[in-house]
Amino acid sequence: MLDEPLVRSAIERAPDTWRSAGAISAETGIPLDRVTAVLTGSLSDIIVAPGGHDGACDLYSTRTHYRKTKSLLERYLDVLDSP
């Protein structure tokens, strides 16, 4: 699928750890339903933000980008916060 590298690249170059599917769609020009399909199905290293808020949209990152943008302590606290 040609959309996978674009989705991954939009996440990897973001200054923040987490990106919404809508933000990735807006940046890449890929329709939201295709971005969502890539994020939920075909990329094995995609992670969803822990401790999501009710009614809020899911936020995504790659494992590599997450490790680059979060300290060891922050990653540990995220593990404690996850269900």
Side-chain angles (χ1 to χ4, degrees):
M1 181 180 253
L2 298 174
D3 298 333
E4 290 177 13
L6 293 173
V7 169
R8 180 184 309 280
S9 153
I11 293 171
E12 293 290 335
R13 70 174 165 261
D16 297 323
T17 303
W18 304 105
R19 301 285 314 262
S20 68
I24 295 169
S25 174
E27 180 180 325
T28 61
I30 301 170
L32 181 59
D33 61 331
R34 287 189 6 218
V35 169
T36 303
V38 168
L39 291 170
T40 58
S42 55
L43 295 178
S44 63
D45 68 333
I46 295 293
I47 54 176
V48 181
H53 305 288
D54 291 333
C57 63
D58 287 336
L59 299 175
Y60 302 90
S61 189
T62 63
R63 293 184 193 287
T64 303
H65 189 65
Y66 178 74
R67 287 184 192 113
K68 285 182 193 175
T69 58
K70 293 283 197 167
S71 70
L72 182 60
L73 178 60
E74 289 172 313
R75 294 190 319 249
Y76 176 73
L77 293 174
D78 282 347
V79 168
L80 293 178
D81 189 36
S82 64

